[in-house]
């Protein structure tokens, strides 16, 4: 009765792959076809209404490819990119690369999809706080991965306790309904939280368990007084006739009683549309499923050059652009040019792909998770407001 998750060792050995790669390897070996190739990683299309995505998962791909006979070029982790732009180039003998394609794409696609959704949510909320509460939507084996992807994408904090151990992120959270139900009384539960939990944890009381949010918010404010930092409304969907009107009423009532500094946190079913509807009223959003189960960013990997007769020959399947490419960018914003890898750099543009691994050796000191997140937020500030997309 195990957890059905692949071990790190099996992933590193290339055992977690698709059968057709093993067969291809056997056939090529039998025919003595050992060819050096350049494989490009890109997303040829993005989900509807998406103008960009956030490239994430690079650190894990480098961990996978380190010490393997390959050379890797990549854009930095956290780079915003558009459809068709080259994100990575992996160079080496095809038979050394083939079995890793499944894992490379799986890592990049999963990370990038979560980071992109987190970034969209954060772009819409901007100066308002986004807390990622999505772990209950995922297998626990990947909890740190999901928290890392969401944090890179720009959420302000994650609730996962294990992420402190794996990522060095301090978990953030409030209280579950279960606490209040076990006490059988909101006020007793809130006071117990205040008594037991460390002083540096903001007192954010859940105010939708038994009574109306307006009534419970005021009860929390009266019970905790100045110590109350905020209230969280996780209003059940069956009661959400008009969530904006509920939040307005809570804000009005708190203000009326002098609790003008009390923050309002809203969680449960929050996606892009809800952020837009509530962002001027709400101080923080708890977001789970919409980030944990985002639209998929279709990252793929294709041979674009083959080394023959002492030079790289451009080649590709139909529908893809042959030749290894460089992505040039002029900031602010995504003013991008795609040019052949060895073309002359256009003036004022920065080449985005750089060499990370040379014949298995890691050449670059990787940035911290906070540096990657900061890089994403800088770019988000340079792109225009999104057209919201519903999941
Ligand atoms: C909130 C909500 C969802 C969590 C946050 C994320 O949890 O009910 O389960 O929401 P989302 O996935 O819809 O974005 P809590 O209020 O803490 O849930 P409970 O009290 O039931 O543990």
């Amino acid at each position: 009765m195990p957890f059905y998750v692949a071990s790190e060792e099996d992933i590193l050995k290339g055992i977690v792959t698709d059968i057709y790669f093993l067969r291809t390897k056997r056939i090529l070996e039998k025919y003595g076809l050992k060819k050096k190739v350049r494989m490009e990683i890109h997303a040829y299309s993005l989900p509807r209404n998406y103008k960009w995505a956030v490239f994430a998962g690079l650190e894990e791909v480098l961990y996978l490819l380190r010490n393997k006979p390959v050379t890797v070029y990549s854009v930095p982790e956290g780079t915003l990119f558009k459809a068709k732009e080259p994100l990575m180039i992996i160079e080496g003998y095809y038979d050394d690369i083939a079995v890793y394609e499944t894992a490379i794409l799986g890592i990049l696609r999963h990370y990038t999809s979560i980071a992109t959704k987190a970034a969209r949510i954060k772009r819409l909320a901007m100066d308002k706080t986004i807390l990622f509460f999505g772990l209950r939507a995922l297998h626990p084996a990947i909890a740190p991965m999901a928290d890392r992807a969401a944090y890179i994408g720009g959420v302000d904090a994650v609730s996962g306790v294990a992420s402190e151990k794996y990522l060095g992120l301090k978990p953030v959270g409030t209280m579950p309904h279960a606490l209040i139900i076990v006490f059988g009384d909101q006020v007793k539960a809130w006071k117990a939280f205040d008594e037991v939990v460390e002083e540096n944890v903001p007192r954010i009381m859940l105010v939708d368990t038994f009574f109306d949010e307006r009534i419970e918010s005021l009860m929390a404010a009266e019970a905790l007084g100045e110590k109350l930092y905020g209230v969280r409304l996780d209003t059940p969907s069956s009661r959400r006739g008009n969530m904006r009107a509920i939040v307005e009423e809570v804000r009005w009532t708190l203000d009326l009683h002098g609790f003008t500094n009390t923050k309002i946190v809203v969680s449960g079913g929050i996606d892009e549309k809800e952020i837009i509807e509530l962002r001027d009223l709400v101080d923080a959003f708890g977001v789970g499923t919409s980030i944990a189960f985002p639209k998929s960013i279709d990252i793929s990997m294709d041979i674009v050059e083959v080394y023959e007769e002492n030079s790289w020959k451009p080649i590709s399947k139909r529908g893809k652009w042959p030749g290894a490419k460089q992505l040039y960018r002029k900031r602010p914003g995504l003013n991008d040019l795609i040019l052949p890898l060895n073309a002359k750099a256009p003036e004022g543009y920065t080449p985005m792909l750089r060499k990370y691994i040379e014949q298995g050796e890691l050449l670059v000191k990787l940035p911290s998770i906070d540096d990657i997140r900061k890089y994403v937020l800088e770019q988000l500030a340079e792109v225009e407001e999104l057209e919201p997309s519903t999941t």
Side-chain angles (χ1 to χ4, degrees):
M1 265 210 311
F3 290 122
Y4 291 102
V5 290
S7 70
E8 181 169 321
E9 198 193 345
D10 283 351
I11 298 169
L12 289 172
K13 276 193 200 151
I15 287 171
V16 187
T17 189
D18 293 296
I19 184 68
Y20 70 165
F21 290 121
L22 294 182
R23 291 180 180 145
T24 300
K25 222 179 135 171
R26 260 174 48 217
I27 298 163
L28 294 177
E29 267 164 26
K30 172 121 192 199
Y31 275 72
L33 270 174
K34 200 169 169 61
K35 279 208 181 160
K36 223 164 40 163
V37 298
R38 281 178 169 162
M39 300 193 75
E40 184 184 283
I41 290 171
H42 42 237
Y44 258 52
S45 63
L46 296 176
R48 222 168 95 85
N49 288 344
Y50 281 37
K51 295 208 169 100
W52 46 261
V54 177
F55 177 66
L58 176 62
E59 190 177 314
E60 287 198 29
V61 171
L62 295 174
Y63 181 63
L64 174 66
L65 294 178
R66 212 179 42 158
N67 303 325
K68 308 234 158 55
V70 293
T71 294
V72 178
Y73 302 81
S74 181
V75 302
E77 187 154 18
T79 298
L80 264 64
F81 66 91
K82 297 189 276 192
K84 295 193 175 66
E85 293 184 339
L87 304 172
M88 286 182 92
I89 298 168
I90 301 175
E91 186 182 301
Y93 287 99
Y94 180 71
D95 49 318
D96 289 328
I97 302 171
V99 294
Y100 296 106
E101 178 170 335
T102 310
I104 293 167
L105 291 179
I107 292 168
L108 293 176
R109 187 165 171 167
H110 202 177
Y111 259 104
T112 297
S113 302
I114 293 178
T116 300
K117 184 65 185 191
R120 288 177 65 86
I121 295 273
K122 183 62 188 170
R123 175 64 186 83
L124 291 170
M126 280 321 254
D127 59 326
K128 301 302 174 80
T129 303
I130 301 291
L131 309 170
F132 179 53
F133 291 166
L135 296 190
R136 64 185 63 192
L138 298 164
H139 193 288
I142 59 159
M145 173 267 154
D147 273 349
R148 182 171 184 271
Y151 191 73
I152 283 176
V155 304
D156 297 277
V158 299
S159 61
V161 171
S163 293
E164 182 153 24
K165 175 179 162 193
Y166 288 89
L167 309 169
L169 298 178
K170 263 240 151 321
V172 166
T174 62
M175 61 182 59
H177 294 95
L179 178 74
I180 291 163
I181 290 172
V182 169
F183 269 92
D185 178 306
Q186 316 83 321
V187 176
K188 280 187 188 148
W190 297 331
K191 285 191 166 164
F193 182 100
D194 185 39
E195 185 198 319
V196 174
V197 175
E198 301 86 313
E199 265 179 38
N200 60 356
V201 174
R203 272 47 187 156
I204 301 173
M205 302 300 144
L206 184 58
V207 292
D208 61 70
T209 310
F210 296 130
F211 310 151
D212 184 81
E213 291 75 359
R214 169 174 33 119
I215 308 292
E216 287 207 14
S217 293
L218 204 52
M219 285 166 70
E222 277 159 6
L224 271 95
E226 283 305 302
K227 280 166 136 186
L228 183 71
Y229 180 80
V231 291
R232 176 163 77 98
L233 281 66
D234 191 67
T235 309
S237 54
S238 60
R239 303 293 195 280
R240 285 190 192 200
N242 182 339
M243 195 60 200
R244 189 176 166 88
I246 295 174
V247 178
E248 277 173 342
E249 202 178 306
V250 168
R251 181 74 274 160
W252 170 263
T253 308
L254 286 169
D255 290 351
L256 195 65
H257 289 82
F259 294 97
T260 49
N261 292 327
T262 303
K263 310 276 186 228
I264 297 181
V265 184
V266 176
S267 62
I270 300 294
D271 203 338
E272 297 176 15
K273 188 169 127 294
E274 290 71 27
I275 303 262
I276 293 170
E277 269 166 24
L278 301 172
R279 64 187 169 189
D280 61 317
L281 278 174
V282 165
D283 301 284
F285 294 94
V287 186
T289 313
S290 69
I291 292 177
F293 269 88
K295 281 189 180 167
S296 184
I297 308 296
D298 186 7
I299 292 184
S300 58
M301 175 164 161
D302 293 275
I303 294 177
V304 289
E305 285 186 357
V306 175
Y307 197 74
E308 276 168 350
E309 293 155 4
N310 297 323
S311 70
W312 288 105
K313 302 266 161 42
I315 187 170
S316 78
K317 69 177 188 186
R318 295 197 303 168
K320 297 280 171 113
W321 300 0
K325 301 156 206 90
Q326 176 60 275
L327 172 66
Y328 288 96
R329 174 161 297 170
K330 186 157 64 172
R331 283 176 69 184
L334 309 180
N335 307 296
D336 293 354
L337 293 172
I338 302 172
L339 292 176
L341 188 59
N342 295 320
K344 196 170 163 293
E347 219 183 290
Y349 285 76
T350 307
M352 299 301 288
L353 285 115
R354 62 182 287 198
K355 203 183 273 181
Y356 276 78
I357 288 181
E358 176 134 43
Q359 281 305 307
E361 191 196 334
L362 188 66
L363 305 174
V364 177
K365 189 178 172 308
L366 298 178
S368 70
I369 187 170
D370 279 304
D371 286 343
I372 302 171
R373 177 175 176 272
K374 203 166 139 245
Y375 172 47
V376 171
L377 292 178
E378 282 165 13
Q379 295 166 88
L380 290 183
E382 294 171 13
V383 296
E384 59 192 54
E385 170 82 297
L386 316 175
E387 239 182 275
S389 159
T390 44
T391 40

